[in-house]
Amino acid sequence: MDFKTDRPIYLQIVDYCFSRIMSGAWKEEEKIPSVRELAVQMAVNTHTVLKAFDYLQQHDLIAPRRGMGYFLEPDAKRRVGEIRREEFFETTLEDIFSEMEMLGISIDRIVERWNARKDKKQNS
């Protein structure tokens, strides 16, 4: 956890969960760590983890099973991908375009640099 960032801690926990889901470390339809386990692991209050789990539930990524804990939904990885893509277009890309405009960098220049990078990697 980065307690110095402006991003709320519960969203940092959500990001961590997204990473675990996308990497396959947490498998769909399998049990994920408990609220307590994650709170201890991340050195945060259990209420903060609960807030992150509420977010995950609202986005149909996890579901509680009575007496057993939380489990990933069958299409969690796909759904995280959708959420991350939407976040990219609404936040990240907007920030990138603002920075490009400020620095006077055109889309054509970005494409040119990207293609040069790909060519360099392929020739390595």
Side-chain angles (χ1 to χ4, degrees):
M1 301 283 58
D2 184 358
F3 296 107
K4 295 178 186 171
T5 183
D6 289 340
R7 188 154 173 85
I9 295 169
Y10 86 94
L11 288 177
Q12 292 180 51
I13 295 168
V14 168
D15 291 340
Y16 170 81
C17 295
F18 280 3
S19 295
R20 303 300 290 172
I21 293 167
M22 293 303 286
S23 71
W26 291 358
K27 307 251 184 276
E28 294 177 342
E29 300 187 65
E30 290 188 5
K31 188 177 186 311
I32 65 171
S34 71
V35 170
R36 265 201 190 97
E37 289 170 334
L38 214 47
V40 168
Q41 178 184 340
M42 304 191 122
V44 298
N45 189 294
T46 55
H47 293 289
T48 307
V49 175
L50 273 173
K51 190 170 182 177
F53 277 26
D54 284 344
Y55 177 98
L56 297 173
Q57 278 186 272
Q58 288 173 6
H59 288 83
D60 298 320
L61 299 169
I62 64 171
R65 292 191 190 159
R66 190 177 180 137
M68 296 176 66
Y70 288 91
F71 287 74
L72 279 186
E73 291 288 9
D75 63 345
K77 190 171 184 174
R78 181 189 60 78
R79 294 185 62 75
V80 168
E82 289 174 359
I83 293 166
R84 296 291 294 263
R85 279 188 292 280
E86 189 61 32
E87 207 173 80
F88 174 81
F89 283 113
E90 288 190 12
T91 306
T92 307
L93 194 57
E94 187 172 320
D95 292 343
I96 290 170
F97 282 152
S98 293
E99 185 79 6
M100 287 171 57
E101 186 175 19
M102 184 176 73
L103 297 173
I105 300 171
S106 70
I107 293 285
D108 293 336
R109 182 69 177 127
I110 295 290
V111 170
E112 181 183 302
R113 288 291 295 262
W114 180 255
N115 287 335
R117 180 180 173 272
K118 285 188 342 189
D119 290 344
K120 187 177 179 180
K121 276 188 163 185
Q122 287 176 352
N123 294 330
S124 310

